[in-house]
């Protein structure tokens, strides 16, 4: 085999492994960008969920105030009087229930937003792990190509059988 042919058979696996390694690292970087985009979408959704729960809590309070107002009007019209202890207790219970419902809306929104933010963090972590794995795979690919190139250059087993090379 000529030196040129030997050189080509040694260089081709190395060059191929370098190209494959570049592809693997580019793929890892692309997957990281996709994971980061997805995480940003989740964080944006978390903000929307919180805002919606705040709106819903305000609506619950408003509805409750209307309910209290109606209860007072009915009590006044019935002749029971708005200062009657039973009417006051009913209005107080309505107010407490309204506040509770509004706080539950807020809590639900915050919990859902927290869950989305946790998912976003996990997605980012996965993306970072893909990048690490792609770098390791790229290094292994290059080493494999270099090993194949060396085997092609020196011939299968020829290097080890050279004079002066100790074998067990």
């Amino acid at each position: 085999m000529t030196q040129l042919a030997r050189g080509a058979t040694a260089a081709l696996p190395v060059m191929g492994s370098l190209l494959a390694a570049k592809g693997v690292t580019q793929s890892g970087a692309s997957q990281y960008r996709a994971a980061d985009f997805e995480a940003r979408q989740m964080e944006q959704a978390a903000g929307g969920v919180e805002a919606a729960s705040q709106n819903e809590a305000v609506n619950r309070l408003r509805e409750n105030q209307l309910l209290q107002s109606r209860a007072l009007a009915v009590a006044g019209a019935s002749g029971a009087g708005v200062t009657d202890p039973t009417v006051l207790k009913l209005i107080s219970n309505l107010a407490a229930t309204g506040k509770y419902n509004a706080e539950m809306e807020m809590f639900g929104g915050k919990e859902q937003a927290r869950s989305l933010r946790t998912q976003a963090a996990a997605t980012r972590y996965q993306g970072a792990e893909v990048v690490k794995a792609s770098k390791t795979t790229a290094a292994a690919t290059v080493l494999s190509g270099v090993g194949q190139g060396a085997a092609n250059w020196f011939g299968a087993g020829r290097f080890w059988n050279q004079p002066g090379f100790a074998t067990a």
Side-chain angles (χ1 to χ4, degrees):
M1 182 183 296
T2 68
Q3 288 288 68
L4 180 61
R6 242 175 94 199
T9 60
L12 286 175
V14 174
M15 291 187 316
S17 69
L18 289 172
L19 285 173
K22 182 171 178 61
V24 167
T25 55
Q26 285 178 337
S27 173
S30 176
Q31 289 180 39
Y32 176 78
R33 286 190 301 274
D36 186 56
F37 177 77
E38 187 178 348
R40 281 182 290 166
Q41 294 297 316
M42 287 180 203
E43 289 168 343
Q44 197 171 26
V49 164
E50 278 184 320
S53 72
Q54 289 170 356
N55 258 356
E56 191 57 36
V58 167
N59 287 340
R60 295 271 176 135
L61 287 173
R62 194 173 306 128
E63 288 171 3
N64 187 267
Q65 288 170 345
L66 290 172
L67 189 59
Q68 290 174 50
S69 176
R70 174 146 169 59
L72 279 172
V74 168
S78 72
V82 294
T83 58
D84 181 63
T86 304
V87 172
L88 292 175
K89 183 169 175 64
L90 176 67
I91 300 299
S92 174
N93 287 344
L94 285 173
T97 301
K99 184 177 179 189
Y100 174 79
N101 289 340
E103 287 174 355
M104 288 306 292
E105 280 295 332
M106 293 288 291
F107 175 77
K110 284 182 181 182
E111 278 302 298
Q112 195 175 356
R114 184 193 57 75
S115 176
L116 284 167
R117 288 186 179 107
T118 300
Q119 274 184 286
T123 300
R124 275 203 180 92
Y125 177 77
Q126 276 183 314
E129 289 301 305
V130 167
V131 169
K132 287 180 194 175
S134 71
K135 288 178 181 178
T136 302
T137 302
T141 301
V142 169
L143 289 176
S144 175
V146 168
Q148 184 61 49
N152 290 351
W153 177 261
F154 293 110
R158 260 189 22 211
F159 178 73
W160 309 112
N161 296 326
Q162 296 296 316
F165 194 84
T167 58

